[in-house]
Amino acid sequence: MFRRTRETAPAGLVPLAWGFTIAAHLGLVADRPVLIAHLVMDVLLVAFVGLSWSDMATGVLRAWRLVILVGTPVTLAGTAGLLVAADPASSPLVAVSVVGWTLLPVPALWYTGRASRGDARAVNYAAAALSCAGALGYLAGLVAGAAPDSGLRLAGLALVGVGQTIGIVDAAVRY
């Protein structure tokens, strides 16, 4: 059962995380719950990679292990930003965390598509393209100084959330 949870839980956690991120950008979630969510993600990422290390040693799972390994300090940066910034919405560390997670899965989704066949290939390429487009949109809004609740930043997050959700749900169902 524990193994099955590790295999399927990300299919629920990924859309939940992006929905929560969008809600925070809209001001619907206060800074304290966002900090708590980051602390939970810090623990889950470390636990997941530790418990799944040998399972993720080869093939496309190795690429995803790398995403988690690099994503852990990216998430910790966001946690630090939430802890020390007077205004987390303008914290460079929080921005690194959000932008990092919009971009990190893109190469792994593309690699998964390249290593797949048939529908799985198309699904992962589409997931990578949506995630990449969303990351670029979000980053463009951030660089332009758009408010967190600007249409460009929110659309970027929505595309990332849809793309990454498509990829992880496909993986959980197919494998």
Side-chain angles (χ1 to χ4, degrees):
M1 180 178 132
F2 187 64
R3 180 180 180 87
R4 188 71 182 144
T5 300
R6 283 186 294 140
E7 292 171 352
T8 59
L13 292 174
V14 167
L16 179 65
W18 287 115
F20 196 78
T21 302
I22 291 168
H25 277 69
L26 288 168
L28 301 174
V29 180
D31 294 340
R32 178 112 177 147
V34 175
L35 172 61
I36 292 167
H38 263 262
L39 292 167
V40 169
M41 286 186 293
D42 295 333
V43 171
L44 288 175
L45 288 168
V46 170
F48 185 83
V49 79
L51 294 169
S52 304
W53 187 263
S54 61
D55 295 335
M56 299 178 83
T58 60
V60 296
L61 290 179
R62 187 164 188 238
W64 288 102
R65 181 171 75 179
L66 184 59
V67 168
I68 297 167
L69 284 172
V70 175
T72 299
V74 167
T75 305
L76 288 167
T79 303
L82 288 160
L83 282 169
V84 300
D87 177 21
S90 62
S91 167
L93 290 172
V94 172
V96 163
S97 185
V98 175
V99 171
W101 275 109
T102 66
L103 291 169
L104 279 171
V106 172
L109 286 163
W110 192 262
Y111 178 74
T112 302
R114 198 177 77 187
S116 301
R117 295 187 182 136
D119 291 343
R121 176 173 281 203
V123 166
N124 281 282
Y125 281 158
L130 286 168
S131 296
C132 186
L136 293 175
Y138 183 83
L139 190 56
L142 184 66
V143 169
D149 64 350
S150 72
L152 184 56
R153 286 176 70 175
L154 293 172
L157 291 175
L159 284 172
V160 168
V162 169
Q164 290 181 14
T165 298
I166 287 169
I168 195 64
V169 168
D170 179 71
V173 169
R174 194 177 308 271
Y175 306 103

